[in-house]
Amino acid sequence: MIRRLMIKRVVKDEKLQELKRMLNAAQNIVITCHVSPDGDAIGSSLGFMHLLRKWGKNARVVTPDMLPPSLTFLPGTKDIVVFTRQELMAKHLIDNADLIICLDFNALYRIDRLAPVIADSCAKKVMIDHHLDPEGFADLQISHPEMSSTCELLFHVIYFMGMKRLISQWSAMCIYTGMMTDTGNFTYNSNNPDLYIIIAELLRRGIDKDNIYNVAINTFSEERIRLMGYALSEKMELFPESGGALIVLNHDELVKYRYQRGDTESLVNRPLSIPGINWSFFLRDDVEYIKVSARSTGDFAVNGYCEQYFGGGGHKNAAGGEYRGSLEEAKQLVYNIAESLKQQNDTKQENN
Ligand code: 5GP
Ligand code: MN
């Protein structure tokens, strides 16, 4: 007997029927996600891969670049083809695919050097994503920015296509991971009751959510802990008059603390714990470019600043970009933002 879940139907039925038709018609399916993949990107990709394999499809995940070590515990990671490492294999899979599923990104530039390969492929393309303003590169676009993660959206898609029975324990583990990481372990964007109905359903597959939290979010190398401590104690600048914070890490500091991909994950959120601080920027010198991360709370939107100054974008409260200029220039741009917000606040106070 199929148990009905009391979750709201959000994805239009025509879209689900179309997706089902496309999946039925396909045998070789490639799943891809954004560059510097996070828990939601990898979780949704592997979660869907396991489900499609159970369905009898030949499904492979191709990522634009490496995944962080914190996610390698997920079942199926060893099977991922990383474009920057195995370019020929990735191209071969994409050339032979009859369907490409794009998860957790809304524009082709988000897959970096993989973009022309995907764009040139004759395969049909499906986008399933929760970022604002999709570019419209896919034949079928399932875009729901109101969802807190692509994994949550993916669960809806699977459930309302009537395929819940194909969610294995492995698939559930991956889907749960993305829901957890994109909400900071259910501490933001997480007030929708339906989330917890989905979690209950995933737990019924026998997943250990406490262990997933410990491995994916709460495991730190000694260097990472020390880098975080250093960044917060020595490198955090506050702008109390505009409610902002900035942390900058230069290349020498990253080398000193033996920085590994993922080591500064969530650092940008830390200043937001201080009362009165409602926006925060983190700048990291990755040599090729300056990695920009921005976070905010409440109505304060950071995505506009990332778009305008750093060639990036994102969500209202979580955005980022890759700035092609010097660290000093990027820093100055954040100072300018702080200064203009301060002036706006001053003007408001004068008017009151
Ligand atoms: P993070 O700071 O964790 O790298 O990114 C937070 C969010 O900002 C991501 O989920 C994504 O929506 C957005 N983001 C990060 N980097 C970029 C970028 O280079 N371009 C755009 N458009 N969005 C980005
Ligand atoms: Mn996401």
Side-chain angles (χ1 to χ4, degrees):
M1 194 189 85
I2 297 174
R3 246 174 332 101
R4 270 187 197 243
L5 302 180
M6 300 294 285
I7 57 176
K8 243 190 274 110
R9 186 180 269 272
V10 275
V11 185
K12 285 210 172 77
D13 205 44
E14 307 91 80
K15 297 228 175 192
L16 295 175
Q17 293 311 323
E18 172 69 1
L19 175 61
K20 211 165 168 179
R21 200 189 53 71
M22 288 167 101
L23 290 170
N24 263 320
Q27 186 53 36
N28 296 320
I29 302 176
V30 164
I31 300 168
T32 190
C33 62
H34 61 77
V35 70
S36 302
D38 56 8
D40 193 30
I42 296 294
S44 55
S45 299
L46 289 175
F48 210 16
M49 179 192 83
H50 290 303
L51 180 128
L52 292 172
R53 285 183 177 179
K54 201 163 171 187
W55 188 348
K57 304 294 179 185
N58 183 14
R60 296 296 300 263
V61 172
V62 175
T63 56
D65 61 353
M66 286 289 283
L67 53 148
S70 62
L71 294 174
T72 50
F73 76 98
L74 285 174
T77 46
K78 286 196 181 66
D79 232 18
I80 292 178
V81 174
V82 179
F83 183 70
T84 48
R85 293 272 171 110
Q86 296 162 272
E87 191 169 325
L88 286 179
M89 180 62 172
K91 283 183 169 156
H92 170 77
L93 289 172
I94 292 165
D95 280 348
N96 286 296
D98 29 37
L99 185 64
I100 297 175
I101 299 177
C102 302
L103 298 178
D104 203 34
F105 67 95
N106 61 354
L108 279 177
Y109 83 93
R110 293 284 289 138
I111 54 172
D112 228 18
R113 290 203 306 118
L114 195 54
V117 187
I118 298 283
D120 291 347
S121 153
C122 307
K124 289 269 183 210
K125 294 167 198 90
V126 176
M127 184 202 89
I128 302 176
D129 177 58
H130 71 135
H131 293 91
L132 289 167
D133 306 324
E135 178 184 68
F137 62 86
D139 300 286
L140 173 65
Q141 185 168 286
I142 300 182
S143 165
H144 285 268
E146 76 278 19
M147 292 273 165
S148 62
S149 61
T150 296
C151 279
E152 180 194 358
L153 175 56
L154 181 65
F155 182 92
H156 275 256
V157 166
I158 294 167
Y159 176 66
F160 287 107
M161 279 197 307
M163 305 203 138
K164 180 165 74 87
R165 69 190 146 65
L166 291 180
I167 301 177
S168 62
Q169 188 176 345
W170 280 0
S171 185
M173 201 169 154
C174 299
I175 293 172
Y176 179 80
T177 299
M179 290 173 62
M180 176 191 75
T181 53
D182 259 24
T183 57
N185 197 31
F186 308 100
T187 59
Y188 47 81
N189 295 334
S190 58
N191 287 331
N192 176 4
D194 288 2
L195 273 175
Y196 303 91
I197 296 176
I198 298 173
I199 295 173
E201 195 57 27
L202 298 174
L203 287 169
R204 285 184 209 283
R205 305 294 193 278
I207 66 169
D208 182 345
K209 74 182 253 312
D210 302 345
N211 185 54
I212 294 175
Y213 167 78
N214 275 316
V215 179
I217 300 187
N218 199 28
T219 298
F220 296 77
S221 65
E222 180 186 340
E223 287 87 0
R224 184 178 176 192
I225 286 260
R226 292 194 190 282
L227 177 63
M228 299 280 251
Y230 167 72
L232 293 173
S233 123
E234 307 294 322
K235 301 301 304 276
M236 183 177 70
E237 288 182 70
L238 296 181
F239 311 101
E241 286 140 321
S242 60
L246 169 65
I247 298 173
V248 179
L249 288 175
N250 65 37
H251 186 64
D252 291 346
E253 291 162 334
L254 297 173
V255 171
K256 181 176 173 200
Y257 288 93
R258 295 192 204 140
Y259 168 78
Q260 299 274 319
R261 187 188 281 268
D263 278 358
T264 55
E265 193 69 48
S266 88
L267 179 60
V268 63
N269 291 299
R270 294 276 50 93
L272 298 175
S273 320
I274 303 171
I277 300 298
N278 61 354
W279 62 271
S280 165
F281 270 84
F282 168 56
L283 306 175
R284 189 183 66 220
D285 189 349
D286 281 357
V287 185
E288 252 176 284
Y289 51 78
I290 308 299
K291 169 66 191 150
V292 179
S293 283
R295 299 290 186 274
S296 61
T297 52
D299 290 337
F300 193 105
V302 277
N303 48 357
Y305 291 109
C306 288
E307 247 169 66
Q308 191 178 347
Y309 298 110
F310 301 109
H315 314 272
K316 184 174 87 174
N317 295 135
E322 291 168 0
Y323 179 70
R324 314 267 159 180
S326 72
L327 192 59
E328 275 312 309
E329 285 162 3
K331 216 164 135 175
Q332 192 56 51
L333 286 169
V334 179
Y335 289 159
N336 296 348
I337 292 170
E339 183 54 32
S340 81
L341 286 166
K342 175 180 173 299
Q343 282 174 12
Q344 282 172 31
N345 284 347
D346 289 349
T347 319
K348 258 191 237 156
Q349 271 171 10
E350 277 163 26
N351 292 342
N352 279 339

